[in-house]
Amino acid sequence: MIIKPMIRSNMCLNAHPIGCAKDTERQINFVKAKKAERGIKNVKEGGNGPKMVLVLGCSTGYGLASRISAAFEYGADTIGVSFEKAATETKGGTPGWYNNLAFDTAAQKEGLISKTFNADAFSHETRKLIIDELKNLNKKVDLIIYSLASPVRTDPDTQVLYKSVIKPIGKTYAGNGIDIMTNSLKGSAAEPATQEEIENTVKVMGGADWNLWIEQLMAAGVLADGCRTLAYSYIGPKLSHAIYRDGTIGQAKKDLEATARSLDEKLKQIGGGAWVSVNKGLVTRSSAVIPIISLYLSVLFKVMKEKGTHEGCIEQMERLFAERLYTGSNNGAGEVPVDSENLIRIDDWEMAEDVQAEVDKIMATISNENLSEYCDLEGYKHDFLATNGFDVDGVDYEAEITKMNLAQEQA
């Protein structure tokens, strides 16, 4: 069959198998080039970087990019956990399923251990599965990436299902976004969250599950001396704070930051540490439907590209690893630079004063008439489509896909 993107309400409902594989390959090639440019030594070359990395939420976005950086720049063996819909011969899978397949294939060709588990990362059963796997491999983890972004979470002890929402607190938040199908402004609004919705969002997106992972891995004796752990967050500009930083998601992220401080004390017992990394705003499934965010990102991308500072997921994670985490002797773990709140700020280029001043100036005058002049509409749309394997260089989108579950062999 010939696969075209199915877009409904600014969400892409399907994925292109070969496009996903090609985009994963692009990211791998990027970090290999940066490895050579920076002169980084991987494990086999005697480097002191990460050796065994666990990525929770490994299949897309920052989680996938973290796993790629660890494996292909530092030579780390990796275990990944994500919950994806698998493809069959006739039915497509989720983008993350194809990304995982491409990653595993490439890593194994490099002689790296690459174990990917399609499982619920919130369950005790999955934690036991990973602990057993580490013991079977006779490996201890020295880096844990917590990059889960699920809309729901079942409490592993009570079996109560919680759902997260992206809503403001106290009053309605409204603004224009971009309709990518028409390249025009489209207004939307989000009603304020109830107290129950706020609490449920914290239970899903906060630090409770991250804490469970570290505690159980530590109790099982599978953390290496010096083990570090990271979770990811976003702060963004003041114009988005009502819907994000000060909204339901922001409350969850503040809980995540509090968890990081608690975990940091625990991991110091074995010479390690815990941090939240505040990353740059990027196109995701959720950002496309949040009021103002898609418009802000489209303006931001144009401004940053003109300044030569724009980054995608892989560029951000490569810089995080090379310039924040592994700055020590022979690319080993170095002192981590943080802000006054103990946050790693890899969003520094986005939040630079000159960038934000220019974005603010444009946002105040934006209209349908000047949208194409001030917004990176093509770049935003490309990123939106590429997350699902569409609009990726080197892919023939008119070619027939004969087996939906064998995309890597066809690529």
Side-chain angles (χ1 to χ4, degrees), residues 72 99-110 114 408-409:
F72 295 98
N99 295 340
N100 286 339
L101 176 63
F103 177 89
D104 285 337
T105 301
Q108 288 160 12
K109 284 182 179 178
E110 299 272 332
S114 178
Q408 188 63 28
E409 292 182 13

Side-chain angles (χ1 to χ4, degrees), residues 14 57 98 102 149 193 218 221 226 236 242 265 272 290 320 333 344:
N14 62 340
Y98 294 117
M218 181 176 281
E265 291 301 316
I290 303 173
L320 172 65
I344 299 172

Side-chain angles (χ1 to χ4, degrees), residues 338-389:
V338 295
D339 69 5
S340 60
E341 302 298 321
N342 206 46
L343 301 172
I344 299 172
R345 299 303 296 267
I346 205 72
D347 67 338
D348 49 347
W349 294 357
E350 174 186 356
M351 301 310 297
E353 288 187 10
D354 61 328
V355 169
Q356 287 300 310
E358 191 166 344
V359 170
D360 286 344
K361 181 180 178 182
I362 293 171
M363 290 289 287
T365 61
I366 205 76
S367 68
N368 273 318
E369 288 67 38
N370 62 21
L371 196 64
S372 60
E373 178 183 355
Y374 291 122
C375 295
D376 181 19
L377 296 175
E378 290 305 311
Y380 183 90
K381 188 171 184 178
H382 164 76
D383 288 358
F384 173 84
L385 292 170
T387 58
N388 284 59

Side-chain angles (χ1 to χ4, degrees), residues 53-73:
V53 178
L54 171 61
V55 183
L56 304 167
C58 67
S59 59
T60 60
Y62 282 127
L64 174 63
S66 300
R67 195 179 187 191
I68 288 172
S69 296
F72 295 98
E73 193 160 12

Side-chain angles (χ1 to χ4, degrees), residues 329-341:
S329 174
N330 211 14
N331 311 125
E335 183 175 350
V336 179
V338 295
D339 69 5
S340 60
E341 302 298 321

Side-chain angles (χ1 to χ4, degrees), residues 6 25-26 49-50 87 89 94 99 104 114 203 207 213 307 411:
M6 296 170 56
E25 179 185 344
R26 174 192 65 81
E89 284 196 10
T94 50
N99 295 340
D104 285 337
S114 178
K203 289 181 181 297
W213 270 100
K307 293 179 179 294

